[in-house]
C-alpha cells in the first residue's frame, strides 16, 4: 500500500499526527474540554509532516530514503546565494510593505518590534528565529517540499505539482480555523485570499527548491523567515496584506521568467517520467533528472 500510494499515505499520516496533536486546542470549539495543553503546543503540530515524511520514506525506500531526507536537510555547498536569498528575500519584501505603510499612512514605523513575537515575548530575535526554523521551517518543509514535491514533479509539471501540494497543505491547516486568532475571523473572502497567498508562497518555495537542487535547508529558512516577518510585534494588518501583495507579485514574476513547467532556469528539474521509485533517481545533489525514455 505504501509503495503503491506513498503520497496518499504521507498526507494521511501528516494530517492524522498533526490533528491529533492539535486536538486539545481545537476540540474545545466542539465542547470537548479538559485535555492537557503543553507549552508550545501549536508548534508541536509541525511534527506531522516531518514524522510522516521520514516514516513513509523509510517504509518505501528503506534506510536510503530516510538518509536522503537527512542529507538534503543540510544541503548548503554551492547554494550560498540561495541561502542568502532565503534569509534576506522575505526581509526585503517585508521592508517594502513597511515602506508602503509609511508612504500611504504617513506613520514612520519602528523596527524595534521586528523579530519579537507577540505569542512568545520571552524570545529574543535569535531565539525566535531558531524556534521558527526548527518547528515550522524544518517541521513542514521536510514533508511538503522534501518528500511530497519531488514525487509530484515526477508525474506533473512544476506548477501543477505546486497547485496540488498547496491544496494538500491548505487541508492540513483546517484545525487552525477552530482555535488560531487570525484564522477564526476569516470569512469566505478571507479564506480565498489566504489560499491564494499560500499558493503564491508555494510557487516561490518550489522555485527555491528546484533552483537549489533539492535543498530542504533553503526552503526551511525561507519559510521560517516569512513566518517571522508576518508574526513580528511590528506587523499590522496593513503590513501583512501589503507583504502578501509583494510576495504575490514576486511569485507571478518567478512564474513568468522561470516558466510554469519547471519553475527553474537552471534546467536541473525535480521531474522524471519513469515509474520506478523516486528515490532511485536521486542524484548526488538530490535532483530527480528527466528520463530520456
Amino acid at each position: 500500500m505504501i509503495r503503491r500510494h506513498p503520497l496518499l499515505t504521507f498526507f494521511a499520516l501528516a494530517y492524522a499526527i498533526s490533528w491529533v496533536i492539535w486536538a486539545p486546542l481545537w476540540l474545545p470549539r466542539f465542547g470537548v474540554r479538559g485535555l492537557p495543553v503543553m507549552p508550545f503546543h501549536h508548534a508541536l503540530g509541525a511534527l506531522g509532516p516531518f514524522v510522516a515524511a521520514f516514516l513513509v520514506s523509510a517504509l518505501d525506500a528503506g534506510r536510503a530514503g530516510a538518509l536522503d531526507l537527512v542529507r538534503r536537510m543540510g544541503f548548503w555547498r554551492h547554494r550560498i546565494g540561495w541561502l542568502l536569498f532565503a534569509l534576506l528575500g522575505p526581509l526585503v519584501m517585508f521592508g517594502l510593505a513597511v515602506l508602503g505603510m509609511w508612504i500611504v499612512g504617513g506613520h514612520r514605523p519602528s523596527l524595534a518590534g521586528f523579530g519579537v513575537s507577540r505569542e512568545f515575548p520571552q524570545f529574543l530575535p535569535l531565539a525566535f528565529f531558531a524556534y521558527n526554523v526548527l518547528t515550522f521551517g524544518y517541521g513542514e518543509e521536510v514533508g511538503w517540499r522534501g518528500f511530497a514535491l519531488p514525487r509530484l514533479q515526477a508525474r506533473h509539471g512544476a506548477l501543477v505539482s505546486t497547485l496540488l501540494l498547496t491544496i494538500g497543505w491548505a487541508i492540513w491547516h483546517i484545525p487552525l480555523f477552530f482555535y488560531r486568532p487570525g484564522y477564526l475571523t476569516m470569512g469566505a473572502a478571507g479564506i480565498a485570499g489566504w489560499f491564494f497567498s499560500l499558493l503564491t508562497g508555494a510557487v516561490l518555495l518550489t522555485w527555491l527548491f528546484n533552483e537549489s537542487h533539492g535543498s530542504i535547508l533553503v526552503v526551511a529558512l525561507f519559510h521560517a523567515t516569512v513566518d517571522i516577518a508576518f508574526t513580528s510585534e511590528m506587523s499590522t494588518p496593513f503590513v501583512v496584506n501589503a507583504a502578501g501583495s509583494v510576495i504575490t507579485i514576486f511569485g507571478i514574476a518567478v512564474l513568468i521568467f522561470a516558466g510554469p513547467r519547471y519553475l527553474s532556469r537552471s534546467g536541473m528539474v525535480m521531474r522524471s517520467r519513469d515509474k520506478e521509485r523516486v528515490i532511485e533517481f536521486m542524484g548526488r545533489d538530490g535532483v530527480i533528472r528527466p528520463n530520456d525514455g
Side-chain angles (χ1 to χ4, degrees), residues 223-273:
H223 188 142
T225 310
V226 168
D227 282 352
I228 290 170
F230 274 67
T231 59
S232 287
E233 184 68 35
M234 65 174 293
S235 295
T236 65
F238 179 90
V239 171
V240 170
N241 290 333
S245 299
V246 173
I247 291 175
T248 297
I249 293 170
F250 192 75
I252 292 172
V254 165
L255 191 61
I256 293 172
F257 289 105
R261 185 178 181 187
Y262 298 127
L263 282 175
S264 170
R265 300 289 290 179
S266 68
M268 306 289 288
V269 297
M270 304 289 291
R271 191 177 181 200
S272 170
R273 292 185 178 181

Side-chain angles (χ1 to χ4, degrees), residues 72-73 75 79 82-83 86 205 208-209 212 215-223:
R72 290 187 288 126
M73 286 172 67
F75 269 2
R79 297 168 176 84
W82 295 112
L83 289 170
L205 285 163
L208 284 171
F209 185 75
S212 65
S215 174
I216 298 174
L217 173 60
V218 168
V219 291
L221 290 176
F222 185 84
H223 188 142

